[in-house]
Amino acid sequence: MVAEATKGGSAPARQGAVLATLILAAAVANLNLAVANVALPSIGEAFNASQTSLDLVAVGYSLGLATSVLWLGALGDRYGRKMMIVIGMGLSIPASLLAGFAPTVDVLFVARVLGGLAAGMAFPTTLALITALWSGPARTRSIALWSGIGGATAALGPLLSGALLEGFDWGSVFIATLPLALLALLMAIRIIPSHVNENSDPVDNLGGILSVLLVGALVLAINFFSMPGKSTLAIGLGIVAAAAIAAFAIRQRRLGRAQSVGAETAAEGSAKDRPEPLYNLEVAARPTFWVAACAGIIVFGSLMAAMFVGQQFMQNVLSYSTLGAGAAILPGALMMVLVAPRSARIVEARGARFTLLLGYFFCLLGYLAMLLLWDQGTPYWQVGLGYASVGIGVGFAGTPASHSLTGSVPLKRAGMASATADLQRDLGAAIMQSILGSLLSAGYASSVGSQISNAPNSAKINDDLTTALETSFSSAAATAERYPKYESEIIAGAKTAFLQGDEWAWTAGITAIVIGAALVFFCFPKRERERELLEAYAAADA
């Protein structure tokens, strides 16, 4: 497949078909990341599952994806990116079937992890191929479409789940992605070019194993930390993650130094046998790389956290149906698709720093709307305003975050940049959802406890009843059904408590966004300096 030179940079032949194939393959992963949350109550009822089991089902896909992207991205750079997409899409088909027809909740969790591993093969490879096949402004536009449509697809996941659950059982939400995976597999085989700017050096498999250990332990620690009775396990996993991070950093620095010494002494034979660092820490230290990576974590985490808390707010406080709650996110998805192409033009004209800050501004507006406007009786336009603002923010910030990552690395290490772009979504979602979820639970329990202690008949409320009321909104609703005489008072108190909890959550989200904006403002280079740095990096890497 021959590249076509255009005024806006180079692009592959049949570039529209190639880009559509890559976006479709990424859409399979983005949809699967978002479809499970709405179905969790149905899954819990079907299997009589504990809350811990449901949490593992929710995190299983992102766990498999996040743990594997660094290693599998490097394998794709070495052995063939097209092959990785084809295998990933092929594996996602049985994984979806196993999830849809899982006989137990444990099998469902395994199927979700397997699906995440399949996405780990395909998802980072899509961005790596965009980096390898396009150049100049054409690459920026392609990344903008990849990022915007990807974010919109994730936002549409709850809508798809809600619609399916109106007429089918919980398994339908996992099987729904099968047609997309099959189509992406067939298109990848026929359309995607083979062996483009790939690496011939050995892969650092030991570093890959350490990366799986550190990311898996970190993601699980973050999720378990907010679960009652799991703090010891979370601390243990955190220690494992810290040890793996230290070992990984030592390994990568040692390989980097050995590679430099080998190049200087022209020890050609030994250099060929020595693997390159899986994650080049010198490249990662470039400000256009590490600041963009951190900025993306907060931006994409803000999107997923807004969906996570917002879904519960709409169903618990506003009494939306699952379909109605899913449809409420549509303004955010629409804004992402509309804004992403314009974001590419702003990156070229004003630089990544300005575009990132613009995205952060709209994310901040969205979270302020959620904090100040979302309450009992909130009209839909205020709900839509919050989601639309966050969607605009992600649409603006997603392109420069991904573009800066790919522009900061040599083409043969495109898998490293695309894997980092993928980790932005997975780690951002895990971190922001866990933090906001913990504060939501803490604020809810605090409010319920205060209401009980101030109630005139508080002496009649025993410890078991107090625990049931403080556990969650759904637990309070179930308790209300057992006490029909007090049902309206219990539900009203639970709604009040939920609103206090989500105030805590939105405040934490605003704090994270402000910190991210400050990081970009003070640490990311301005437009001219950014261009100088990227040109210097390209020359040094060549």
Side-chain angles (χ1 to χ4, degrees), residues 97-164:
L97 287 171
L98 182 61
F101 296 103
T104 67
V105 71
D106 294 331
V107 173
L108 178 56
F109 169 66
V110 171
R112 291 287 286 166
V113 174
L114 181 62
L117 291 172
M121 296 179 185
F123 190 53
T125 310
T126 58
L127 183 57
L129 277 168
I130 290 174
T131 305
L133 292 169
W134 279 265
S135 69
R139 178 193 292 172
T140 307
R141 291 192 297 271
S142 298
I143 291 175
L145 286 171
W146 177 88
S147 176
I149 295 176
T153 303
L156 288 172
L159 173 62
L160 175 64
S161 295
L164 289 170

Side-chain angles (χ1 to χ4, degrees), residues 416-451:
M416 171 182 165
S418 58
T420 304
D422 190 27
L423 279 173
Q424 288 177 331
R425 289 166 166 79
D426 301 320
L427 283 180
I431 293 170
M432 293 288 283
Q433 286 185 19
S434 296
I435 292 173
L436 269 63
S438 296
L439 290 171
L440 175 65
S441 298
Y444 174 87
S446 173
S447 177
V448 170
S450 176
Q451 291 181 57

Side-chain angles (χ1 to χ4, degrees), residues 473-488:
F473 186 95
S474 58
S475 178
T479 302
E481 292 179 359
R482 300 202 307 269
Y483 298 93
K485 181 179 178 180
Y486 302 103
E487 182 174 6
S488 60

Side-chain angles (χ1 to χ4, degrees), residues 164-441:
L164 289 170
L165 291 171
E166 291 289 316
F168 303 97
D169 69 9
W170 60 267
S172 61
V173 304
F174 303 113
I175 297 173
T177 58
L178 274 177
L180 283 180
L182 182 59
L183 179 60
L185 173 62
L186 297 175
M187 291 177 67
I189 293 171
R190 292 181 59 87
I191 295 172
I192 294 177
S194 302
H195 305 299
V196 181
N197 290 318
E198 287 164 2
N199 194 345
S200 60
D201 296 320
V203 175
D204 176 21
N205 291 309
L206 176 57
I209 294 170
L210 288 172
S211 74
V212 170
L213 185 61
L214 76 87
V215 175
L218 178 61
V219 171
L220 285 175
I222 292 170
N223 282 273
F224 279 127
F225 191 77
S226 62
M227 297 180 187
K230 298 293 183 181
S231 57
T232 301
L233 176 59
I235 291 171
L237 287 167
I239 293 172
V240 171
I245 289 170
F248 182 78
I250 292 170
R251 168 78 176 169
Q252 300 312 298
R253 289 193 181 280
R254 183 173 297 168
L255 287 178
R257 285 198 299 267
Q259 186 183 43
S260 299
V261 171
E264 290 173 2
T265 60
E268 196 169 322
S270 60
K272 283 184 178 178
D273 297 331
R274 186 184 301 116
E276 281 198 358
L278 184 71
Y279 205 80
N280 191 311
L281 297 183
E282 290 186 4
V283 171
R286 295 170 175 176
T288 52
F289 189 95
W290 75 265
V291 179
C294 293
I297 285 173
I298 295 174
V299 165
F300 291 115
S302 298
L303 170 66
M304 301 306 292
M307 292 165 58
F308 172 68
V309 177
Q311 283 287 309
Q312 297 177 74
F313 165 76
M314 287 182 285
Q315 294 184 50
N316 294 341
V317 178
L318 299 184
S319 301
Y320 282 22
S321 66
T322 55
L323 178 59
I329 302 174
L330 283 176
L334 179 62
M335 289 299 104
M336 276 185 272
V337 173
L338 292 177
V339 167
R342 290 161 176 78
S343 144
R345 292 196 288 270
I346 297 174
V347 169
E348 293 297 328
R350 303 291 298 272
R353 178 177 178 271
F354 175 86
T355 317
L356 279 169
L357 290 172
L358 186 61
Y360 266 93
F361 172 75
F362 280 99
C363 285
L364 180 61
L365 284 184
Y367 267 67
L368 285 172
M370 295 166 184
L371 174 65
L372 300 175
L373 301 179
W374 288 15
D375 204 339
Q376 294 190 51
T378 294
Y380 172 71
W381 73 265
Q382 293 179 354
V383 174
L385 175 65
Y387 278 124
S389 299
V390 172
I392 293 171
V394 175
F396 276 128
T399 299
S402 300
H403 176 268
S404 296
L405 292 176
T406 57
S408 301
V409 302
L411 281 180
K412 68 177 183 177
R413 304 306 304 272
M416 171 182 165
S418 58
T420 304
D422 190 27
L423 279 173
Q424 288 177 331
R425 289 166 166 79
D426 301 320
L427 283 180
I431 293 170
M432 293 288 283
Q433 286 185 19
S434 296
I435 292 173
L436 269 63
S438 296
L439 290 171
L440 175 65
S441 298

